[in-house]
Amino acid sequence: MEPFLDKGRNVTTDNFFTSLSLAKRLLERKTTILGTVNKIRREIPPSTRRMDRNEFTTQLFSTTGATLTVYTPKRKKAVYILSSMHNLVQTEDTTKRKPNTVTLYNTTKCGVDIMDQMVREYSVRSGTRRWPVGNWLTLTLVQRRHKRKKCFENNPPHQALEKDPCVR
């Protein structure tokens, strides 16, 4: 990520990577984050975990440099979005009253969905009940994909008869 830091860009992540500490570290490097958050994380206030909210309600929690939006699209379902680029969250004037953080996440999550799909389809991960092993295998796979992509970026397209420099 180093070449993209300090340039005022935004990173969209899923709940595996999003955390308040990452948001603060990226904000120090002039990069913002927008992503879903798992409700089990320690950073999530316990008051947000109640499930008896009405449909289409929004709760906001703010700290220095980050805003947590809790949107309830259905009666017993809540969506947690952490954003370091939104200080002010506005809702649409429709019946669903969707916040702008949710709308922006839905429009920018394409890369997240593609990466999830690739990891699922080409996984070498074996079934395991130990979550640290599962997380390590997932990170290894993502790192391998990133390394291969970077290799193809650094080497111009080669002819079919040449040996692929990205395969070892």
Side-chain angles (χ1 to χ4, degrees), residues 9-163:
R9 295 186 183 231
N10 180 43
V11 177
T12 302
T13 60
D14 64 353
N15 61 8
F16 184 78
F17 297 105
T18 310
S19 69
L20 186 59
S21 59
L22 176 64
K24 288 182 178 181
R25 281 188 294 185
L26 286 176
L27 206 53
E28 290 173 0
R29 299 290 306 265
K30 298 179 186 166
T31 305
T32 58
I33 189 170
L34 175 71
T36 56
V37 183
N38 194 337
K39 68 179 179 182
I40 301 172
R41 286 206 181 250
R42 285 184 292 191
E43 300 143 345
I44 304 297
S47 62
T48 65
R49 296 188 185 136
R50 11 177 234 113
M51 298 306 289
D52 57 345
R53 288 188 203 90
N54 294 331
E55 279 186 336
F56 312 125
T57 57
T58 302
Q59 275 187 312
L60 297 174
F61 298 89
S62 185
T63 183
T64 307
T67 303
L68 176 69
T69 306
V70 182
Y71 175 64
T72 311
K74 295 181 181 175
R75 181 142 165 56
K76 295 202 176 222
K77 180 172 172 50
V79 178
Y80 298 81
I81 304 270
L82 182 71
S83 173
S84 63
M85 66 186 297
H86 291 92
N87 294 328
L88 178 66
V89 177
Q90 300 171 342
T91 57
E92 297 175 347
D93 282 339
T94 61
T95 56
K96 293 188 177 185
R97 297 188 305 253
K98 196 180 287 189
N100 61 346
T101 52
V102 175
T103 306
L104 183 61
Y105 177 77
N106 288 338
T107 57
T108 59
K109 70 176 181 175
C110 178
V112 175
D113 290 342
I114 290 172
M115 179 57 94
D116 286 344
Q117 181 183 6
M118 288 176 67
V119 167
R120 232 178 302 136
E121 188 172 333
Y122 300 110
S123 179
V124 294
R125 186 179 153 181
S126 59
T128 180
R129 291 181 182 208
R130 298 184 320 192
W131 67 267
V133 173
N135 287 352
W136 180 80
L137 290 169
T138 301
L139 287 174
T140 304
L141 184 63
V142 169
Q143 181 182 20
R144 191 179 76 189
R145 294 219 175 283
H146 177 68
K147 187 183 252 185
R148 183 158 174 83
K149 180 182 173 204
K150 198 168 197 165
C151 181
F152 278 121
E153 287 174 356
N154 294 337
N155 296 306
H158 23 278
Q159 296 176 352
L161 298 176
E162 289 183 76
K163 185 176 186 273

